[in-house]
Amino acid sequence: AYHAIARELLPVTVVLDRRAGELTAWLTSDRPNDTPLELHWEAFNFAGECLAEQRWEAVALANAVTPLTLPEMPAPENAVLFLRAFRDGQEVSRSADWPRPYRFHALPDTPPRAQFDGVTLLLEAGRPLRHVWIASGTARPSDNALDLRPGESVAVTFDQPLTQPLRVQALGVPAFTVPVQSTFQETP
């Protein structure tokens, strides 16, 4: 839970919530000045096809919670939604909303592509992935419990070099092993 909580305690965050078919979103900021942001909203089906996307500008008010007025956009009931906040072209926060309850949805069991050199794990998602968990023993990953967008590549680094393989899994994806010094491979 550490990584999920750490993401929520970033200086600027974006939150997306879907309840009873209604979307709400807000920004939080602990900054002493207003923060201009570019917001990217995307909806994907479970196979990774982009159903809709939208971009717009917003301002996270200084030391405040800023409710967002969302542009007119479709939010299919069975779609995975991502809302990301960018500042100066760099992602500063993201929020993902998945259809619930999970057990009512047939999630594909396609794992991400993975490459590991002993210090950095690269993951590439072909479809939305929920709660990608990396088991690394005593080594501490830079991030964990990730939600990945289709087509996204993420680098996770470790606080110490590893000689043992990693175990990676995600919601609906059986655990698989990523050996050290691996090149990108299609995981089983």
Side-chain angles (χ1 to χ4, degrees):
Y2 167 81
H3 295 283
I5 293 169
R7 282 191 290 274
E8 297 301 322
L9 295 176
L10 290 170
V12 174
T13 63
V14 61
V15 179
L16 177 65
D17 189 42
R18 173 176 35 187
R19 292 178 195 224
E22 293 292 318
L23 281 180
T24 57
W26 59 92
L27 300 167
T28 65
S29 174
D30 71 358
R31 296 295 184 206
N33 299 310
D34 292 353
T35 305
L37 299 167
E38 182 178 352
L39 301 178
H40 296 196
W41 176 85
E42 298 159 301
F44 297 96
N45 63 20
F46 288 125
E49 179 183 1
C50 185
L51 304 174
E53 60 183 310
Q54 190 89 10
R55 294 175 187 222
W56 72 97
E57 304 288 323
V59 174
L61 299 177
N63 199 31
V65 173
T66 308
L68 291 173
T69 301
L70 298 174
E72 208 44 52
M73 52 191 158
E77 185 178 313
N78 290 328
V80 179
L81 307 177
F82 285 88
L83 181 58
R84 299 179 296 145
F86 290 81
R87 181 166 188 203
D88 300 325
Q90 296 293 315
E91 183 178 304
V92 295
S93 180
R94 71 167 51 196
S95 183
D97 186 271
W98 290 71
R100 291 176 295 265
Y102 303 130
R103 70 178 181 268
F104 293 152
H105 301 281
L107 300 173
D109 62 359
T110 311
R113 290 174 16 124
Q115 176 181 346
F116 183 49
D117 66 6
V119 175
T120 302
L121 171 66
L122 297 175
L123 297 170
E124 285 186 358
R127 65 166 186 88
L129 290 170
R130 174 79 174 140
H131 197 81
V132 177
W133 182 257
I134 305 157
S136 57
T138 59
R140 188 175 313 160
S142 58
D143 206 350
N144 215 339
L146 304 160
D147 285 340
L148 300 180
R149 297 170 32 259
E152 181 172 35
S153 293
V154 173
V156 177
T157 57
F158 296 86
D159 65 344
Q160 61 188 0
L162 296 167
T163 57
Q164 299 296 315
L166 299 173
R167 297 276 296 160
V168 178
Q169 66 186 68
L171 181 67
V173 175
F176 62 95
T177 301
V178 182
V180 178
Q181 300 300 331
S182 63
T183 57
F184 267 122
Q185 57 190 8
E186 296 303 323
T187 48

